[in-house]
Amino acid sequence: MPFRTGGESVISIEEIEQRLEALRVEHRDLDCAIAALGQLSLPDQLQLARLKKRKLRLRDEITMLENSLIPDIIA
């Protein structure tokens, strides 16, 4: 069953699930990178902030895609 995204493109459930998996992997990788950078004696605070911001954007996109997979419930 195809879904419409915010634009005009239509993507399938499989494509959404593939995108979700890629985003989750990137999110985990960023988590590891943030932890490693934070353990340095003098971590680069600007780089840490950028990585954390990217991680939050990924979380937002993951949430949006997960919500698109949940059918609307008509009450």
Side-chain angles (χ1 to χ4, degrees), residues 11 13 15 23 33 38-40 44 53 57-58 71-72 75:
I11 55 176
I13 291 175
E15 290 170 321
L23 291 171
Q39 290 181 354
L40 295 176
D44 182 347
K53 196 171 191 176
R57 282 194 303 262
L58 287 172
D72 290 336

Side-chain angles (χ1 to χ4, degrees), residues 26 29-40 42-57:
E26 187 176 352
D29 290 347
L30 277 174
D31 208 22
C32 292
I34 290 167
L37 189 57
Q39 290 181 354
L40 295 176
L42 269 162
D44 182 347
Q45 294 300 319
L46 183 59
Q47 184 65 19
L48 260 176
R50 287 178 178 155
L51 291 175
K52 288 178 180 181
K53 196 171 191 176
R54 173 71 180 144
K55 187 177 168 191
L56 287 172
R57 282 194 303 262

